[in-house]
Amino acid sequence: MTMQTEAQAVSVPRKRRGTELSLIVVALLVGVGAYVSVGLGYTGDIPADITAVAGAFAALAFVAHLAVRFLAPYADPVLLPLVVLLNGIGLAMIYRLDLDITDPRLGDGVARQQVVWTFVGVLAIVAVLAVVRDHRRLQSYTYTLGLVALGLLVLPLLPGIGNEINGARIWISVGPLSFQPGEVAKLCLVVFFAGYLVVKRDALALAGRRFIGIDLPRGRDLGPILAAWLLSLGVLVFQRDLGSSLLFFGLFVVLLYVATERVGWAIVGILLFLGGAYFGYLTFGHVQNRVAGWLDPFSDTDLYFQIVQGQYGLAFGGLIGTGLGQGDPTLTPYSYSDFIVTSLGEELGLAGLMALIVIYALIVERGLRVALLCRDAFGKLIATGLAVTFALQVFVVVGGVTRLIPLTGLTTPFLSYGGSSLVANWAMVGLLLRISHATRQPQPLATPLHAEDATQVVRLR
Amino acid sequence: MSELTLTLIRLGFLVVLWLFVLSAVSVIRSDMFGARVDPAKQRPGRAAKQPRPPKPAKQPKPRRGDRHAPRSLVVTDGPNEGQSAALADAPILIGRGTDAAIRLDDDYVSTRHARVATNGEQWFVEDLGSTNGTYLGHQRVTAPTPIGAGTAIRIGKTVLELRR
């Protein structure tokens, strides 16, 4: 009897919302601490607007926590604190850079703008949690979301609202607001790819010809991957956005590989990528620039000023950094967006930057764990896609600024200045939390009616 | 602000940052297995549903031909084995209560447990919100369900059958 009881003791996921709240409090302490130490390091005083900024940020984090507590009570307890911490550090760093930057395009109170965007981001996570009550419902919107993604990608090319900044045509401007629709397209594409592959994966996994131990796919199944490839090339050609192009194609290839479990697809994907990259290299001057700046930036320090400055910044920071507010990260152009990683590396040092990268790794790990535990294939693919999106972005950005790979412009999730990226990433975390909730919540007990010998008798007398 | 204070702040910040990372990792570790609970103790509501006849229900007797309509409801196993009630047009109430047509002395049976009724052609069994449920064969009865020929109705430890 005892044996049987022990065998029946099962592990049930806990809600752990209290743990989440205490982690959020620690994350807020780190974020606000960063903000204060920027002020102390830069001027020697605590920033005047500390109560307003810290209060607003803490309130937003608390709202996000409440949304999770009531709308997805079984969701992963670590994801939200990790995101809050990244957002908080990003906020402090942007405030710090704003003290030095005299870029008229940025205007005043960049940090305050980022708080406003954080507010919109929290609205997005609440909206995602409130609207998407069951992620499986999204499957019926597969092609709708695919079309929406395509539309969002085309939007910046339209004359009138499309806007070209720094050579990349990825912005739309409506009145005073400018937005990067590609960021939102990311989310739609993840759902679209997942919904598409979950239906088609059996057909795509059919063995084609076998060549040195690898199942190569059939020629007629190449359609989807070619379409994704052309889409990415289109982004590259028409928007001149290397990073997004890489992200979209990488995302599709990873999901295709995960869905079909065929190495052949990954190989085809890599070959297509190499072909596309070579084509881009031959065709576009700015791609050649990026590659040359990757291989030997010191050959022309004027042309590759940004990447050289980034390197010097990281070197200046050393192991433990110059301290917040005490470096010169703004010598690097775009130190608040594309190069925020080197800014952080300069002021927090290798030790701080590694902590941030570990935090990203934990986010990706949590996402993949959701995918592992998820019971339906669609949810698995979405969770994988979201985790891979974060991973690819961080890899492309950090690899780019540290010269592991050629520099491509992508935003660093939650850290970079920029509303579209922040809002889209918050929404992505919302979707991840929704799937996580569905995965971890106790299942309705399926009574094994036919397993007669497993019946347990409780003695009442 | 002295140099020493700034250095302390700088190092302190890195320490707190890493402490956050470590505490997140420790939450992940403790989250690995979840809470271990004994379902029998932890969830009385669900545990109460568990008790069912200890023995496999006796296989229904060989069918006696579907041509003939059943005439009585017989208790084939359990404390009240052998008891029966004639099937008329009126529904038959099964339970522990005194108003039941088949009164069962079974601890696992509710006072008003189930009802067997006919629509003129077929006999149906319906659960009356009992604690432990009514089973037709291996299926739990959630709505009025037609009783197939030779299928046993299980209520608590008791098994009933329609007989010709």
Side-chain angles (χ1 to χ4, degrees):
Chain A
M1 188 65 204
T2 327
M3 291 277 288
Q4 198 184 3
T5 322
E6 266 176 25
Q8 290 216 341
V10 287
S11 53
V12 179
R14 287 172 285 182
K15 291 185 180 174
R16 313 214 67 189
R17 295 274 72 86
T19 318
E20 180 186 77
L21 186 59
S22 27
L23 273 181
I24 287 179
V25 169
V26 180
L28 284 173
L29 281 180
V30 176
V32 174
Y35 203 82
V36 170
S37 85
V38 163
L40 290 177
Y42 194 80
T43 55
D45 287 320
I46 293 174
D49 57 350
I50 179 70
T51 38
V53 171
F57 189 61
L60 288 176
F62 192 63
V63 166
H65 167 75
L66 283 183
V68 175
R69 186 177 277 262
F70 288 111
L71 296 171
Y74 282 97
D76 192 289
V78 196
L79 265 171
L80 193 59
L82 294 173
V83 169
V84 167
L85 182 113
L86 286 176
N87 201 332
I89 290 206
L91 204 60
M93 199 62 208
I94 287 162
Y95 166 71
R96 186 259 166 277
L97 297 166
D98 187 32
L99 293 172
D100 268 348
I101 288 178
T102 46
D103 190 340
R105 261 179 308 183
L106 273 177
D108 284 337
V110 180
R112 223 166 298 147
Q113 280 180 41
Q114 189 77 347
V115 174
V116 173
W117 281 118
T118 308
F119 170 72
V120 183
V122 170
L123 279 188
I125 196 174
V126 175
V128 166
L129 286 175
V131 173
V132 186
R133 297 317 290 261
D134 183 354
H135 63 272
R136 283 167 295 188
R137 288 280 179 80
L138 288 175
Q139 200 172 350
S140 49
Y141 300 106
T142 300
Y143 289 94
T144 318
L145 285 172
L147 274 179
V148 168
L150 203 62
L152 286 170
L153 286 176
V154 172
L155 219 49
L157 299 174
L158 299 178
I161 54 170
N163 200 356
E164 187 167 322
I165 298 177
N166 305 317
R169 200 177 172 85
I170 50 174
W171 296 83
I172 53 168
S173 302
V174 183
L177 288 172
S178 60
F179 203 75
Q180 242 176 299
E183 292 286 343
V184 180
K186 235 169 29 182
L187 181 58
C188 301
L189 278 179
V190 168
V191 180
F192 168 62
F193 288 163
Y196 171 79
L197 287 172
V198 85
V199 176
K200 299 289 161 98
R201 64 184 176 143
D202 286 337
L204 294 172
L206 276 178
R209 195 174 300 138
R210 214 174 156 79
F211 181 68
I212 31 176
I214 298 161
D215 289 317
L216 291 178
R218 292 182 305 181
R220 66 178 109 156
D221 293 331
L222 285 174
I225 197 171
L226 283 178
W229 186 65
L230 286 175
L231 173 81
S232 306
L233 273 186
V235 170
L236 179 66
V237 172
F238 295 112
Q239 310 192 335
R240 267 155 289 162
D241 183 7
L242 277 173
S244 304
S245 161
L246 180 66
L247 177 66
F248 296 151
F249 189 61
L251 178 66
F252 184 73
V253 171
V254 170
L255 282 184
L256 187 58
Y257 172 52
V258 170
T260 61
E261 301 173 36
R262 298 264 167 206
V263 191
W265 282 117
I267 292 171
V268 170
I270 290 168
L271 289 177
L272 281 173
F273 168 74
L274 290 178
Y278 189 64
F279 164 77
Y281 180 73
L282 290 183
T283 321
F284 298 107
H286 70 285
V287 179
Q288 289 168 12
N289 272 352
R290 297 289 172 92
V291 173
W294 165 53
L295 293 173
D296 188 9
F298 295 96
S299 61
D300 186 347
T301 46
D302 288 335
L303 187 57
Y304 310 124
F305 180 72
Q306 186 183 29
I307 195 156
V308 168
Q309 278 302 324
Q311 305 274 295
Y312 277 129
L314 286 176
F316 189 41
L319 200 57
I320 56 166
T322 59
L324 283 167
Q326 297 167 70
D328 286 307
T330 44
L331 292 178
T332 316
Y334 293 101
S335 53
Y336 49 85
S337 56
D338 287 10
F339 270 69
I340 198 159
V341 171
T342 61
S343 307
L344 286 161
E346 180 172 345
E347 303 220 317
L348 296 178
L350 184 69
L353 198 54
M354 281 301 146
L356 295 179
I357 290 174
V358 170
I359 288 171
Y360 280 122
L362 290 179
I363 293 180
V364 174
E365 186 265 340
R366 290 330 270 171
L368 290 178
R369 183 174 162 82
V370 171
L372 280 175
L373 292 181
C374 190
R375 275 170 289 265
D376 59 301
F378 179 63
K380 271 179 190 294
L381 286 180
I382 295 186
T384 314
L386 295 174
V388 165
T389 309
F390 285 125
L392 270 178
Q393 281 197 75
V394 175
F395 174 73
V396 164
V397 170
V398 179
V401 299
T402 54
R403 278 180 56 221
L404 179 70
I405 55 171
L407 181 65
T408 49
L410 264 186
T411 54
T412 324
F414 303 109
L415 287 177
S416 294
Y417 171 70
S420 359
S421 158
L422 197 59
V423 174
N425 285 319
W426 271 102
M428 285 167 66
V429 168
L431 192 53
L432 208 48
L433 286 172
R434 166 56 66 215
I435 303 174
S436 172
H437 165 74
T439 305
R440 291 162 54 100
Q441 82 187 98
Q443 292 306 292
L445 203 65
T447 16
L449 290 168
H450 43 271
E452 287 291 342
D453 43 359
T455 308
Q456 189 189 7
V457 177
V458 175
R459 292 194 184 281
L460 294 178
R461 281 178 290 197
Chain B
M1 192 64 38
S2 76
E3 195 64 31
L4 179 68
T5 328
L6 284 176
T7 312
L8 284 180
I9 289 174
R10 173 168 60 151
L11 292 177
F13 181 75
L14 287 177
V15 168
V16 174
L17 185 58
W18 274 104
L19 277 180
F20 171 79
V21 172
L22 291 180
S23 50
V25 170
S26 100
V27 170
I28 290 176
R29 182 207 54 75
S30 67
D31 196 51
M32 200 81 85
F33 290 107
R36 284 187 76 78
V37 292
D38 187 343
K41 286 179 198 159
Q42 204 71 22
R43 300 183 177 173
R46 283 191 186 161
K49 288 177 190 165
Q50 296 288 331
R52 286 207 307 275
K55 287 182 287 183
K58 273 184 191 168
Q59 285 306 305
K61 301 270 161 53
R63 294 213 237 154
R64 292 156 190 230
D66 298 347
R67 299 186 302 274
H68 303 286
R71 296 205 184 126
S72 63
L73 182 65
V74 182
V75 179
T76 57
D77 196 6
N80 301 75
E81 191 176 349
Q83 216 177 315
S84 72
L87 295 174
D89 285 340
I92 297 177
L93 179 69
I94 307 164
R96 233 158 26 138
T98 43
D99 57 340
I102 296 188
R103 213 183 68 74
L104 298 169
D105 303 307
D106 186 336
D107 285 335
Y108 300 98
V109 171
S110 302
T111 313
R112 293 167 59 87
H113 195 112
R115 189 166 60 177
V116 173
T118 183
N119 63 353
E121 289 169 20
Q122 268 182 310
W123 287 88
F124 291 79
V125 63
E126 181 187 4
D127 189 71
L128 299 173
S130 67
T131 312
N132 295 327
T134 303
Y135 293 83
L136 191 60
H138 295 309
Q139 292 294 317
R140 184 166 183 160
V141 175
T142 50
T145 313
I147 306 167
T151 321
I153 306 160
R154 292 190 295 124
I155 290 169
K157 286 181 160 187
T158 306
V159 182
L160 301 108
E161 258 185 64
L162 289 182
R163 290 285 168 81
R164 189 162 58 91

